[in-house]
Structures are given as C-alpha cells and as structure tokens.
Amino acid sequence: MRVLLFASAFFALHTALAADFRHSTRQSPGDYLLRSLDQHQDNVFDSFRTVELGASIGIGSDCGRIDVTSTLRASLKNMLDAKYFANIGQNIIGSSPMLLACYFSPTWCAILKHSQVGAQYLSQMRLDQCAVIDKYVDSRVEEFYQERQSCVRKSIEANSGDMEQAMEGCKGNKMWDVDLTNWAGKRNGEKVTSNKLLEGSAKWAGFEGEAANRSLDLVKALVGETVVSKGGVSVEYGPRQSALTPRTYLQSLEKGTYEQLCGKIVKRIEDSGPETVPDKLVSDSELKALSPGFEIPLIDRQTIRALSMMVPSQRRQACKTLSDALSMTVFASEMNRSLDILTTLSQNPNLPPNRKQEIEQKRRALKDSLDAAVSMQKQRSAPINDALAKVNQTGADLYDQMTQQALSTDSDQEVSNRVRARFMDCADGVMCDRRN
Amino acid sequence: MFSNTAYEAMYQFIGLALHEKFIEAITSEKVFRGFLLITFGFLFFLTTVQFFSRYLPGSLIQRKSVPLSKYVKIVLWLFIGISLLRVGGTSTVKRFNGEPWSANRYIKVHVVQPEKSYRVSFIFELLSGTAEGVAWMISRVVDNVFGTSHSQLDTPNFFFKAIMFAGASTVDDPKLNRQINFYTNECFDRLIPHMKQAASDKKLDSLFSKNAAADHLLSDIMLEMPDKKFISCLDLKNQVRQGLADYARKKPGEGELVEMSKLGFKMAFQGKFTPESIENFQASSRLVNHYLDQHEGSLGIQKGSQLPTSAGRAAQYLNRLFSWDGLLGSVGYLFGGDKFQGAAVAASRSQEFSENLARAPHVAGFIKMLIIASFPWLVFFVVAGYWRVLFYWFLLYLSVLLWTPIWTLLYHIMVGISQSSEVMAAMGELGDGISLYSAELVTSRIYHLYAVYSWLQLLTGTLFTGMLLYFIRPALQDHQEDSAPEFLETAQRGATKVAGAVL
C-alpha cells in the first residue's frame, strides 16, 4: 500500500514538475476582443441540407403537337353533342365534310358554318390554353418547340409552302429528338444535344482555367446549373452535388479555415515546442491555401507566430476570430466574383431571352441571399484587418514579454556572474570565487 | 607594509615597483647623476660665495654671514641624499595577520608579476616601517577594542558583504522564473482579496511561507494546465518553495557561495541566527529581486508605464515600505546612496555596493602609491638642502596609514548602528520562513548604511591628513631668525633694572 502511495505521489510530482508554466488559465479583458461571439446560432440553419434535384421535369402536355383536324373534329363534336343538338350532327361529323352538308341542306350548312366558326374559336381557345399550360408546366423546355418551329419554318420554305409536308418532315418520333442550338456560341459547335445554362455561357464568355472553373463550380452550387437535354430540364450543383446557401458556404469556409489554421498549422507549431522557430514549420502553400483566390496570402508567418505565442485559451479564441474573419473575407471575395460571373453570363447573346431572364433571376436571388447572410454574419464577425491587428498586436505584446523574459533571464545570469565577481573578487582575502 | 584590502595592496605593489625602478633609473642614468652633481656643486658654490662675501666690498655683493658648518651640512645632505638611493632593505605588502598579498588572486589578476618583496632603500624601510608599525598597532587596538562582530582588519566589511551578497541573489533559471511568474499571476490576484485582514499577517509573506490559513485558501484554487490536468495553487506554492531551496544547491558553485555567506552571517551576527534564517533570507531576497526586476528592468526600461502585473504590483508595494528617514537617510540621499530607492535591482545595488567597498581603499591606495613611488625623487630636494621634505613625506605617509584605524573605528560604529532592533527583528522573522518584507528591509538598511559609511571614509581620511599637515607644518618651518626665548628677554630687562637700582 505504501509503495502504491509513494508511486502515485511520485508520479503526481513528476507530472507537476513537467508542466509548462507559460500558459494562463485566466481571461484578460483584452482576450475578449479576440473572441467571436456566435449569437443566434441554430443548427437547423447552419447544417448542410441536400436540395432535391428537379431532374427531368419533362413535358407535361402535348399541346405542342396539336393536330388541327383532330382539334376541329373534337371541337365540332363537342358542339354537336347530343346535349346541345341531340344527335343531329353526329352523322355529319362522321361521314361528310362541310361542303357536302351545304350541298344537301343550306340550313344545315348554315348551322355547320356557325358550328365551324365556333369550333375554330374553341380550337383557338384550346391552343391558347395549351400555350398557357405549357408555359406553366414547363416553360424551360420551350427550346424544343422553338427548335421545332424553326424546323417547320425551314421545311415550309423547302416544300414551297406545303405546311402539311413541312409538318410531316419535322415530325419525329418524339418532340425532344432534336439537337439544340449551342448556347456556348457557334465557335463551340452549332448544335448540341444538351445545353447547360451557366457552363455554356461561361464557355461563351471565355471563362477557362482552374480559377474560373472553381468559381463556376461555386456558382453552380449556389444557384444551380440548368441543364436542358432530351426534352427535359434538370438542375445540377456542380462537383459538390449539393446545393449551397451563402450561409452554409460561409460556415463551411469557417470550419475548414479553423481546422487548417488552428487544428493543423498552429498545433504543429505548438507541438514543436518553444525552442523551434515557427517560420520554417509553415509552408507557403499552406498559407496560400488559407486564402484561396488571393494572390498574396491574407495571413503571413508573423500572424502564425503571434498565434503560437498565445496561451491555449487565448489562442482558441484568437484562432476562431481570425478564421471567421478570414473566411468572411474569402467568402465576400468569392461571392463578389460569383455575382460578377452571373452578370457576365447574362449577357450571352446565344441564350434565349427567357434564359437570360433566368440568369438574372438567379443573380438577384443570390444577391438577396448574400445580403441576408452577410448582415447576419456581420454581428459576430470582425473585419479581417481588425482581427489581424488584434492578433498581431497581442502576439507582438506576447513576443515583447517573452523577449523581455528571455533578456531578463539573460540579464539575471549576467547579474549573478557580476555580483559573484564583485563580491568574490578576493579583494578582502576571504571571499574568493574558487571557480576561477 | 600592511593593508586589509587588496585594493590598497594593489597600489602598494605598484608603488613599490615604481620605487624600485625609479632608484634604478636615478642611479643608472647619467642625466640624473649629473643633475645631482650640478645641484651639489651649485649649492657648494653658493655657500662659498656667501662665506667669502664678508671679505668683499659691500658694494659688490650683499654680505651674508655663513658659518663654516654650512659645508658640513652640505656634505651631510649629499650623504643623506645618496643614502636615499642606496638599496639596503626589502619591503613586503602583507595583510594585518602577516599573510603576504602577493599570493592573492585579485593581486595576481590586477598587478603584473607581483613579487613577494621589493628592494628598497634603507631609509625608506626605516621610515615606512616606523609608520606602518605605528599604524598597525593603533589599528589593532581600535579593532580589538571596538569590534563587536568580527575583525575589520582580517575580514574587512564582512558584515555588510555577507548581507548584501545574500540580498543580491537573483533567480537566473528560466524554468524557476516561469514557475514564480505563473504562481504569482495565477494565484495572487485570486487569493489576496479573499484573505482575512489581520494586522500581523503580511499577505505577500504568507503566500510563500508556511501559513495554514493561506494554504487552505490556496488549496481551493485549481488551475487547468495545458495537458488538461489540474494543479492547485498550494501545490504551485510548494513547488516554488522547493525550487527556491533547490536552486542554490543545484547551481554549480553556488552552494559554496551560500556557505560563504552563511559564514559571513555567523561572524557578523555572532551566531544569533540559524542557517535556516540565512537560507530564508536568500530565498526572500531572490523573490524580492525577481519582483523588482518585473517592476523595472535592469535594461533601464521603465516598466512602470506598463499595465501593472501581479508581480509588478508586488514590487510596487514592496518599494512603498521603505522611505529612509532621519539623518543617515538624508546623508545617504545627498551622496547619491538613495538613487535606487524604488528601483533597486540586484545589479545596480551590487554594483553600487562594490563601488562603495572599493572607493575609499582605491583613493587611499593611490595616495600611498604616489607617496611610495615619489620617495627616490626626494634625493634632489635633500641634496639641495630641503631636508625637511623627509619629515613631510613621513607625516603624509603616516597620516594615510592612520586612515585604516579611523575607518576601522567608523566601521564598527556603523555595524553597531546596523544591528538595530528593527534589523534584528526582521532577521528574526526570516527564521520562521520566507519574508519579502523582512529581506527587503534588511538589505535596504544595510545598503544605505554602507553607502553612508563609504562616503564618510573619504571625508574622514582626507580631513585627518589635511588637519595633520596643517598643524604640523608650522613647526617644521625655519623662516624666523634665531632669538632668545621671550622669557629670557623679560628676565634680562628685569635683571638690568634690578642691577641699575642696586648700582
């Protein structure tokens, strides 16, 4: 039992002696300036959410392929329905054209004429209704109708105005079995089987390269990429494969930056001990990765040094504040670029007007969402310059203290030697320093 | 030749070496020999002219009555002068207990090839030996009669040095420094406001010494370390105490100095205090110096302008305790001894103290060096007939030697003042444990007293020599004509009147 007690006491003493007495367990008022206060934080809004894709909405109506004869017949049939005209018109509709009817009976002819007008009127109404329905159901695929109209117009010219032949010529197995005009412009190919709204416009605008792709991917994730293909329309969200709101994107940035900055870089410096100069422990690529999209890294080694000098609790707060501020800066920069991209893409002359409007709507929606997210984040996030200034100032003070302590220790050692030399100079013949 | 400090001895060595070289130069160089002969010849010619002036017409020369014995005097002066240069004895620089200084390390470092003895002229040996003997005897008597703690002649300034050396201790171990800072910053401010106010309790002291009430409070404060383990302020306190105790023992060579300091205390206080109180005094002084250094750095950075830390506040309140009042304080202030008040870091104090230790002995030694080295050159004065210069030389040398007994007397008086009830009470408190206040009080008092003493040394020494020469000099002057004593003239006048009346 005694042995156990002794062993545990020894272990406790050893642990205590090995402790580092550099840190502080208290918060000074200045430390609160380094803290970012997450007010109104709600996981419901902060967690990632997967948005259901509107893939292959399809064509909900056949209004684009109205058969005039059938329509007229149907209209006439309705008009001569028994409930209106008993069974008078049934045979007429079934067996004779209108001229035949007029031949037999002028009265019936008049009636039929009137009925025909009404049928035409009804057919027109139906067409209008179809148009409305089409627009309502799936306005995004009218490119295919436009393509068909374009085909019919060309066929009419080719068939010397024979509409029936033109219609027959452009009539495929399915409505969407046509190639679409490439939204990326002719230089990227005349026709394509599918059009992507943002990607095609980006090609047209000449956005190429890694940076442009990254920005475009972000835009896709934020507003969704409209893909028109095979008579269907779908929405894609780029490589992330999930929709992002500005707020969730900002928070993902904050999380990633915090992990990279505080979880990896600063921890590495902390683990290496006070005897290591932190500069060489941080690579340029790591610093650059902290501020993507910026030519000059927003955080330099001085700031990392400042963080490494802080006591753990202070460092946690400073890291959070700094990563939040850094994320906000990166976020603002990327969002600004996204809006710029959308503005540029909306100028694409190869887009149908409704698609241009769609991009404009996307831009407006993104901007509104951004405004809301930024105004909410502003309450708890300091500007990067303020955060950097605070961290660097705190770090400079700590460095100053550490320098003073180191010099003080140096001075103390020198003082000890001098005091020893003075008092033990043997000038009294008694107090002699026997080291020398 | 006797000296109780190597500072004086060093100059004596240099003076003797110069003395030896000068004799060699005067006797070997033809210029000096020629000058001596010219001096003698000129004096002889002048005396001859004066002697024969009585036979010459008064219109040609002023007649002067010179006795024939003047020639005897001239020859005698020549003989004495030459004997000043005749090497016939040796002189050794010794401590008052007879040990030669030539083996001392300080002398070996500061003097080029010090010799055990130097060859000097017989007359120099006679005169200096007489003066040294007289001074030695008086010094010994004063030291034995007035000494209360230790011999100032054998162990000079030991009382002050022992205390100041212990008081100048610093902590130059970075880990221990960090530990003290951590304990101070983390525990002081959390504890002091909750400590009960009692007149007898000194809060800073109870944070380091054994104090049940403070320990109970300290054990309630838990600190989270970076490794997520907890440590109480009481554990920290014990670690700091242990670290301070181990510090001196672990440091190479430091233990020896601690023992030396203990010896100094033992001699200075005649065993009144236990070794524990001396260790506590050293540990307390280390803490005081640590806090003073936090308050104001040795690099001259005014830390007072910064936000006060716990350590800085401790230093501020420690400094507030001491306002040196009274006559001694005024004297100390006038002579600059008070300039470190409130900013007394160990380096400044030890430097000032070491300067105080050496200042007066340096002055005395330098004057001795000049006197010793100048002796061979007296030959020119003696040959020229100014033989009284030998007496002046002797008086001057004796007066400077007598500074030692004067200073010894003064030293013992100052030691007596230093062992005041206040200082003794503070030392008594240190027997119970670490006490920053007591350590600071003792060091401060001793430091200022020695500053006063060092200036008084110079004042009394120069004053004594000045007064001695002022009063002795008229007795050696001979510008008045020889005449019968006044009482003889009065008696003569009376006798004449009586004789006249009788006749």
Side-chain angles (χ1 to χ4, degrees):
Chain A
M1 187 64 184
R2 283 181 184 174
V3 173
L4 279 174
L5 280 172
F6 177 77
S8 56
F10 177 78
F11 179 74
L13 181 64
H14 179 74
T15 308
L17 286 175
D20 182 9
F21 295 103
R22 275 204 316 159
H23 86 294
S24 173
T25 59
R26 287 188 302 169
Q27 298 284 336
S28 68
D31 293 341
Y32 291 102
L33 295 174
L34 300 170
R35 173 178 282 181
S36 62
L37 298 171
D38 292 332
Q39 289 177 341
H40 313 301
Q41 194 167 14
D42 191 340
N43 287 332
V44 173
F45 298 106
D46 295 338
S47 58
F48 290 103
R49 287 172 297 142
T50 305
V51 176
E52 290 296 330
L53 298 178
S56 189
I57 292 171
I59 301 168
S61 163
D62 201 21
C63 286
R65 291 196 304 164
I66 286 179
D67 186 333
V68 175
T69 308
S70 301
T71 304
L72 278 171
R73 186 175 293 168
S75 299
L76 193 59
K77 183 184 177 183
N78 285 338
M79 287 189 69
L80 299 177
D81 193 87
K83 62 184 175 183
Y84 301 114
F85 305 105
N87 293 321
I88 296 171
Q90 291 236 347
N91 292 329
I92 299 169
I93 295 166
S95 58
S96 61
M98 192 169 63
L99 289 174
L100 186 65
C102 288
Y103 178 78
F104 283 109
S105 169
T107 304
W108 277 109
C109 181
I111 291 168
L112 284 173
K113 277 182 181 175
H114 178 75
S115 299
Q116 192 175 16
V117 171
Q120 284 172 346
Y121 175 72
L122 283 176
S123 297
Q124 186 59 45
M125 284 290 285
R126 175 63 69 193
L127 286 171
D128 290 345
Q129 190 182 11
C130 272
V132 171
I133 289 168
D134 280 352
K135 257 195 174 343
Y136 174 74
V137 173
D138 185 19
S139 63
R140 285 171 290 188
V141 288
E142 63 188 22
E143 285 81 4
F144 288 94
Y145 301 109
Q146 289 168 4
E147 288 293 336
R148 183 174 176 78
Q149 285 170 3
S150 174
C151 174
V152 169
R153 271 191 230 105
K154 287 176 184 173
S155 293
I156 287 170
E157 284 177 16
N159 295 307
S160 304
D162 189 341
M163 191 171 171
E164 287 297 320
Q165 279 191 10
M167 292 292 284
E168 284 297 321
C170 289
K171 185 180 178 182
N173 291 332
K174 290 182 179 176
M175 176 63 73
W176 44 87
D177 276 349
V178 294
D179 288 337
L180 298 170
T181 303
N182 193 355
W183 290 344
K186 287 180 180 174
R187 62 179 175 175
N188 292 306
E190 186 77 26
K191 295 284 182 184
V192 287
T193 53
S194 69
N195 260 329
K196 292 187 176 180
L197 182 62
L198 300 177
E199 200 171 299
S201 299
K203 278 185 183 171
W204 163 78
F207 290 152
E208 288 173 354
E210 192 184 342
N213 287 338
R214 196 176 59 244
S215 300
L216 195 62
D217 288 342
L218 178 63
V219 175
K220 285 179 187 175
L222 287 167
V223 299
E225 168 74 297
T226 303
V227 182
V228 178
S229 173
K230 302 288 183 187
V233 63
S234 60
V235 178
E236 294 177 356
Y237 291 96
R240 287 183 174 82
Q241 298 186 338
S242 62
L244 276 180
T245 65
R247 181 178 167 80
T248 52
Y249 178 61
L250 175 58
Q251 288 185 341
S252 72
L253 270 179
E254 286 173 350
K255 191 179 174 189
T257 309
Y258 183 80
E259 282 172 3
Q260 180 66 20
L261 177 66
C262 310
K264 288 182 182 173
I265 299 176
V266 176
K267 191 171 184 309
R268 191 188 308 146
I269 294 169
E270 194 181 342
D271 292 344
S272 66
E275 307 294 330
T276 310
V277 178
D279 291 40
K280 66 177 182 182
L281 297 173
V282 189
S283 67
D284 289 338
S285 57
E286 280 179 319
L287 289 177
K288 199 154 176 61
L290 284 172
S291 42
F294 286 85
E295 219 169 284
I296 300 171
L298 293 172
I299 289 192
D300 56 13
R301 286 183 170 80
Q302 181 184 331
T303 310
I304 303 292
R305 279 199 301 271
L307 284 171
S308 70
M309 293 302 294
M310 293 176 186
V311 294
S313 57
Q314 197 179 27
R315 187 187 303 127
R316 275 196 297 273
Q317 293 176 5
C319 251
K320 184 76 176 82
T321 301
L322 191 59
S323 59
D324 285 355
L326 185 63
S327 305
M328 177 56 94
T329 305
V330 172
F331 172 76
S333 168
E334 291 194 339
M335 290 302 114
N336 203 11
R337 196 177 299 122
S338 299
L339 289 174
D340 289 346
I341 287 172
L342 285 174
T343 305
T344 306
L345 299 189
S346 67
Q347 308 300 316
N348 184 3
N350 301 306
L351 291 178
N354 60 329
R355 296 300 172 192
K356 285 186 181 178
Q357 283 176 4
E358 186 182 341
I359 292 182
E360 184 58 32
Q361 282 170 359
K362 285 177 187 292
R363 198 187 71 81
R364 269 202 298 274
L366 177 62
K367 186 173 178 301
D368 292 344
S369 181
L370 270 177
D371 288 343
V374 168
S375 64
M376 285 178 74
Q377 289 296 104
K378 261 184 185 174
Q379 292 181 8
R380 67 178 188 88
S381 182
I384 183 72
N385 286 342
D386 285 356
L388 279 173
K390 283 170 193 163
V391 170
N392 284 330
Q393 184 59 52
T394 308
D397 291 345
L398 290 169
Y399 254 91
D400 190 35
Q401 284 177 22
M402 293 296 286
T403 306
Q404 282 183 11
Q405 280 181 13
L407 286 177
S408 176
T409 304
D410 199 33
S411 168
D412 286 344
Q413 286 171 348
E414 183 59 23
V415 165
S416 288
N417 290 334
R418 282 191 193 177
V419 167
R420 186 192 187 101
R422 283 179 192 135
F423 282 89
M424 297 289 167
D425 62 355
C426 218
D428 55 5
V430 181
M431 295 179 81
C432 302
D433 188 355
R434 291 177 194 170
R435 283 193 312 181
N436 301 323
Chain B
M1 287 184 176
F2 297 100
S3 172
N4 66 335
T5 64
Y7 306 123
E8 285 183 59
M10 176 185 72
Y11 290 103
Q12 286 174 313
F13 274 100
I14 298 170
L16 284 172
L18 286 172
H19 179 104
E20 209 176 62
K21 292 285 179 191
F22 287 156
I23 289 177
E24 193 180 323
I26 293 169
T27 52
S28 61
E29 294 295 328
K30 290 177 182 175
V31 176
F32 294 119
R33 280 188 294 178
F35 191 71
L36 271 178
L37 283 174
I38 288 171
T39 306
F40 176 75
F42 179 74
L43 190 63
F44 190 85
F45 174 74
L46 196 67
T47 306
T48 305
V49 169
Q50 285 176 349
F51 182 79
F52 286 103
S53 64
R54 69 179 75 172
Y55 305 111
L56 294 174
S59 57
L60 290 176
I61 193 167
Q62 187 183 0
R63 287 176 180 171
K64 218 169 185 180
S65 176
V66 175
L68 200 59
S69 62
K70 183 73 180 286
Y71 287 102
V72 179
K73 281 184 181 177
I74 291 170
V75 173
L76 187 63
W77 293 337
L78 179 65
F79 176 75
I80 294 172
I82 292 171
S83 65
L84 292 183
L85 299 176
R86 187 176 178 278
V87 176
T90 57
S91 187
T92 307
V93 186
K94 294 177 286 190
R95 297 180 62 191
F96 274 78
N97 59 9
E99 290 177 13
W101 277 110
S102 55
N104 180 268
R105 190 170 55 78
Y106 182 90
I107 296 297
K108 283 181 178 174
V109 169
H110 290 86
V111 179
V112 181
Q113 294 179 339
E115 293 176 13
K116 194 171 182 181
S117 61
Y118 290 85
R119 295 170 68 230
V120 295
S121 72
F122 169 73
I123 293 179
F124 175 82
E125 189 184 12
L126 183 70
L127 293 177
S128 67
T130 305
E132 293 282 352
V134 170
W136 182 90
M137 187 185 67
I138 296 172
S139 298
R140 273 293 177 206
V141 169
V142 169
D143 197 33
N144 290 333
V145 171
F146 296 98
T148 54
S149 58
H150 66 102
S151 167
Q152 162 71 351
L153 297 177
D154 296 332
T155 50
N157 307 311
F158 222 51
F159 174 80
F160 292 98
K161 282 184 88 168
I163 294 176
M164 286 306 296
F165 180 65
S169 305
T170 56
V171 181
D172 54 7
D173 178 24
K175 189 182 172 189
L176 185 56
N177 267 330
R178 281 205 301 271
Q179 203 173 24
I180 295 170
N181 281 341
F182 186 71
Y183 173 58
T184 306
N185 293 329
E186 296 298 317
C187 299
F188 273 30
D189 288 349
R190 295 183 188 184
L191 184 70
I192 290 175
H194 301 291
M195 294 172 81
K196 283 182 183 174
Q197 191 68 46
S200 58
D201 277 349
K202 293 171 182 170
K203 292 183 171 40
L204 278 180
D205 287 354
S206 58
L207 286 167
F208 287 100
S209 60
K210 289 176 185 171
N211 184 300
D215 287 356
H216 179 69
L217 291 172
L218 282 167
S219 65
D220 290 340
I221 301 173
M222 300 301 290
L223 307 172
E224 185 184 2
M225 303 301 288
D227 55 3
K228 304 292 180 192
K229 290 177 180 168
F230 285 89
I231 184 171
S232 73
C233 279
L234 181 60
D235 293 335
L236 261 182
K237 172 185 172 177
N238 291 331
Q239 284 184 29
V240 169
R241 282 166 55 88
Q242 190 62 39
L244 285 168
D246 292 344
Y247 176 68
R249 285 194 289 270
K250 285 180 181 172
K251 196 175 176 187
E254 195 73 16
E256 194 179 302
L257 298 184
V258 171
E259 292 306 317
M260 189 74 77
S261 190
K262 282 181 184 175
L263 175 65
F265 265 81
K266 194 176 174 182
M267 292 176 70
F269 291 104
Q270 295 181 318
K272 288 177 186 169
F273 300 108
T274 60
E276 286 74 27
S277 56
I278 297 164
E279 283 181 2
N280 286 334
F281 178 63
Q282 282 189 320
S284 307
S285 300
R286 284 198 170 95
L287 284 170
V288 169
N289 290 330
H290 177 82
Y291 289 134
L292 288 176
D293 195 43
Q294 296 287 312
H295 180 55
E296 185 162 356
S298 56
L299 298 178
I301 301 162
Q302 292 296 322
K303 290 184 180 174
S305 59
Q306 297 173 356
L307 284 173
T309 59
S310 301
R313 279 195 292 274
Q316 282 176 344
Y317 287 102
L318 279 171
N319 275 333
R320 275 181 57 187
L321 292 172
F322 307 104
S323 57
W324 190 248
D325 49 1
L327 175 65
L328 292 175
S330 305
V331 174
Y333 182 78
L334 283 175
F335 288 110
D338 223 23
K339 67 183 177 184
F340 292 116
Q341 185 72 18
V345 291
S348 308
R349 270 188 175 172
S350 67
Q351 184 173 351
E352 181 77 8
F353 182 72
S354 64
E355 286 169 6
N356 291 338
L357 276 177
R359 185 183 294 118
H362 271 286
V363 172
F366 189 77
I367 294 173
K368 279 185 190 176
M369 182 191 75
L370 291 179
I371 296 171
I372 294 167
S374 66
F375 187 81
W377 299 99
L378 298 182
V379 63
F380 297 102
F381 295 93
V382 173
V383 170
Y386 296 99
W387 57 273
R388 287 182 187 84
V389 75
L390 286 175
F391 286 98
Y392 284 122
W393 184 92
F394 177 78
L395 278 176
L396 190 64
Y397 189 64
L398 179 64
S399 72
V400 175
L401 291 180
L402 288 178
W403 291 8
T404 303
I406 294 170
W407 291 351
T408 304
L409 174 63
L410 196 59
Y411 177 82
H412 289 305
I413 292 170
M414 297 307 280
V415 168
I417 296 172
S418 303
Q419 291 177 333
S420 63
S421 58
E422 190 182 28
V423 172
M424 299 300 269
M427 285 301 298
E429 282 186 21
L430 285 163
D432 299 332
I434 291 174
S435 173
L436 306 186
Y437 298 106
S438 301
E440 175 64 0
L441 184 139
V442 171
T443 311
S444 177
R445 291 287 188 263
I446 296 301
Y447 168 73
H448 284 98
L449 269 176
Y450 198 83
V452 173
Y453 167 66
S454 72
W455 287 108
L456 286 177
Q457 275 184 303
L458 284 182
L459 193 68
T460 52
T462 50
L463 196 65
F464 175 74
T465 299
M467 284 175 65
L468 193 71
L469 290 177
Y470 180 78
F471 287 114
I472 297 292
R473 188 169 169 270
L476 294 173
Q477 286 180 338
D478 62 346
H479 63 275
Q480 289 182 340
E481 294 291 332
D482 292 340
S483 59
E486 197 176 338
F487 73 93
L488 287 178
E489 286 182 10
T490 310
Q492 187 184 7
R493 280 199 299 272
T496 308
K497 281 182 181 177
V498 171
V502 171
L503 292 173

